């Protein structure tokens, strides 16, 4: 009876996924883009109900039906939704906390995105870095021709050169951009699944308050090690340079989130108005060159010196 129910539910979820995929393929624009976040939900829901082995079988079936009824180009989409969805669903199946589930799902989605990245390079000969660099050069050339007459001729060349150097770094942080995309994708998909499961099973899945977010101490070692490498290595070192700049970027973002979380926590402990942490976060995003560094330092202190425990003890 249980096997029959599992197979029936798997066929239903596979059909729902294929229907969503076909809608996305034939419905371009904003609606199609928004549905991309819904694609992993059938995988998450089914894996949450029956475990990763059943989710893997659904994933294989989805790949086969995608090749039969959709296009070969849509296979990477199925890869992303399947791997990320199974990761999130298995974390929910094991009753992990909301932020642990998010972290595990983020890894799954990042693996899926990296898989797409490698497939497009190995089988289609498409280099994302070269494509981005070419597009940036074209945009910069157009901008330079449009505004060259408006800039001060004495400082024009220097300013344009600074902009070009900043743009040249962008292709190098493509892995960081992909990782951030995976993290955001996992969060939205997890939130949607929570809503679905709560509606169907009358459960209370939800994210813990942001003020309770606590990153592991190991993140500090990754951050400081990559910081040192950034001063030692240069772009000529190839993979070492790319690894250093991307680990530094990602860990820096996580530490900023930790700093924001502490600000919200401290405001709650001191019973400040909820508007105060919101204003601080907005100002930090508007003045990133100054305030975000301070928030990052706050995140480092919070993790490294157990700042929250000290605040609670004083309370």
């Amino acid at each position: 009876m249980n096997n029959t129910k599992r197979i029936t539910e798997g066929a239903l979820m596979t059909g729902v996924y294929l229907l969503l995929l076909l809608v996305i393929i034939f419905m371009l624009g904003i609606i199609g883009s928004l549905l991309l976040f819904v694609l992993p939900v059938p995988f998450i829901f089914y894996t949450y109900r029956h475990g990763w082995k059943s989710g893997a079988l659904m994933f294989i079936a989805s790949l086969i039906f995608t090749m039969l009824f959709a296009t070969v180009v849509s296979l990477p989409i199925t890869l992303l939704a399947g791997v990320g969805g199974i990761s999130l669903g298995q974390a929910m199946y094991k009753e992990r906390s909301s932020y642990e589930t998010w972290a595990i799902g983020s890894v799954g989605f990042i693996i899926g995105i990296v898989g797409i990245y490698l497939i497009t390079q190995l089988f289609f000969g498409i280099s994302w870095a070269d494509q981005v660099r070419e597009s940036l050069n074209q945009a910069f050339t157009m901008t330079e021709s449009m505004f060259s007459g408006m800039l001060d001729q004495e400082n024009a060349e220097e300013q344009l050169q600074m902009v070009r150097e900043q743009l040249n770094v962008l292709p190098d942080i493509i892995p960081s951009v992909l990782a951030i995309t995976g993290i955001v994708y996992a969060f939205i998909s997890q939130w949607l699944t929570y809503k679905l499961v709560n509606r169907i099973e009358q459960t209370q899945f939800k994210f813990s308050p942001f003020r309770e977010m606590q990153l592991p101490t190991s993140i500090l070692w990754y951050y400081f090690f990559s910081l040192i490498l950034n001063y030692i290595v240069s772009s000529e070192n190839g993979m070492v340079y790319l690894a250093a700049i991307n680990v530094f970027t990602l860990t820096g973002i996580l530490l900023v989130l930790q700093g924001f979380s502490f600000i919200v926590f401290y405001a709650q402990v001191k019973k400040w108005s909820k508007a105060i942490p919101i204003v601080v976060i907005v100002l930090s995003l508007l003045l990133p060159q100054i305030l975000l560094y301070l928030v990052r330092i706050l995140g480092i202190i919070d993790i490294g010196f157990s700042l929250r425990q000290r605040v609670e003890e004083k309370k």
Side-chain angles (χ1 to χ4, degrees):
M1 181 68 180
N2 290 333
N3 287 334
T4 302
K5 181 180 179 181
R6 183 167 62 249
I7 293 172
T8 302
E9 196 169 296
L12 176 62
M13 289 296 102
T14 303
V16 171
Y17 170 77
L18 291 173
L19 178 62
L20 290 171
L21 181 62
L22 291 173
V23 170
I24 291 173
I25 292 173
F26 295 106
M27 185 180 292
L28 301 176
I30 298 177
I31 297 178
S33 300
L34 292 176
L35 285 177
L36 283 172
F37 294 104
V38 186
L39 271 182
V41 172
F43 292 103
I44 302 172
F45 182 79
Y46 187 64
T47 305
Y48 155 70
R49 299 263 289 181
H50 304 288
W52 72 269
K53 293 182 179 179
S54 297
L57 290 176
M58 176 188 167
F59 176 52
I60 294 172
S62 299
L63 286 174
I64 295 172
F65 285 115
T66 298
M67 289 187 290
L68 292 176
F69 298 105
T71 61
V72 178
V73 180
S74 60
L75 280 175
I77 300 177
T78 302
L79 173 65
L80 174 63
V83 175
I86 292 173
S87 301
L88 274 174
Q90 179 65 11
M92 293 177 62
Y93 180 77
K94 291 294 185 179
E95 299 182 351
R96 303 277 190 176
S97 67
S98 58
Y99 288 110
E100 284 180 314
T101 301
W102 183 23
I104 295 171
S106 297
V107 173
F109 280 107
I110 290 170
I111 291 173
I113 294 174
V114 171
I116 296 174
Y117 179 81
L118 295 176
I119 289 172
T120 54
Q121 294 221 37
L122 294 176
F123 295 100
F124 298 99
I126 300 174
S127 174
W128 292 18
D130 292 340
Q131 293 291 327
V132 171
R133 188 174 286 108
E134 183 179 348
S135 300
L136 289 174
N137 287 333
Q138 292 177 356
F140 183 81
T141 302
M142 293 177 58
T143 304
E144 184 179 7
S145 61
M146 290 174 58
F147 294 98
S148 58
M150 302 172 59
L151 296 173
D152 184 2
Q153 294 300 320
E154 295 181 359
N155 300 323
E157 188 62 31
E158 182 180 352
Q159 293 174 357
L160 291 173
Q161 182 62 28
M162 290 176 58
V163 174
R164 183 180 290 275
E165 290 176 357
Q166 293 176 352
L167 292 178
N168 287 336
V169 178
L170 292 180
D172 295 334
I173 62 174
I174 284 179
S176 295
V177 175
L178 298 182
I180 294 170
T181 302
I183 292 170
V184 174
Y185 203 172
F187 178 82
I188 297 176
S189 298
Q190 182 179 344
W191 181 79
L192 291 173
T193 305
Y194 278 0
K195 294 296 182 182
L196 176 65
V197 174
N198 289 341
R199 177 63 64 88
I200 293 176
E201 300 186 354
Q202 302 299 315
T203 52
Q204 295 295 324
F205 280 107
K206 62 181 180 179
F207 279 95
S208 302
F210 180 59
R211 65 177 180 271
E212 297 179 6
M213 177 181 176
Q214 187 69 35
L215 294 173
T217 309
S218 59
I219 198 73
L220 295 179
W221 294 105
Y222 294 124
Y223 176 76
F224 288 120
F225 184 68
S226 61
L227 176 63
I228 294 172
L229 279 180
N230 269 297
Y231 284 106
I232 296 175
V233 302
S234 62
S235 58
E236 296 177 356
N237 293 89
M239 292 300 297
V240 178
Y241 168 75
L242 291 177
I245 191 173
N246 285 289
V247 172
F248 178 73
T249 303
L250 285 175
T251 53
I253 292 173
L254 291 174
L255 290 172
V256 168
L257 289 176
Q258 184 68 47
F260 285 147
S261 175
F262 177 80
I263 291 171
V264 177
F265 164 79
Y266 191 79
Q268 193 268 340
V269 170
K270 295 296 183 180
K271 297 181 180 180
W272 291 347
S273 170
K274 294 182 179 180
I276 293 178
I278 294 175
V279 171
V280 172
I281 293 173
V282 171
L283 288 176
S284 300
L285 296 176
L286 293 176
L287 301 171
Q289 295 180 342
I290 301 174
L291 297 181
L292 278 188
Y293 285 109
L294 298 177
V295 175
R296 183 180 300 175
I297 293 172
L298 183 60
I300 293 172
I301 297 174
D302 183 25
I303 297 174
F305 298 94
S306 301
L307 193 56
R308 297 175 190 234
Q309 294 181 6
R310 297 174 185 273
V311 171
E312 289 179 340
E313 289 174 359
K314 288 184 178 180
K315 180 184 176 182

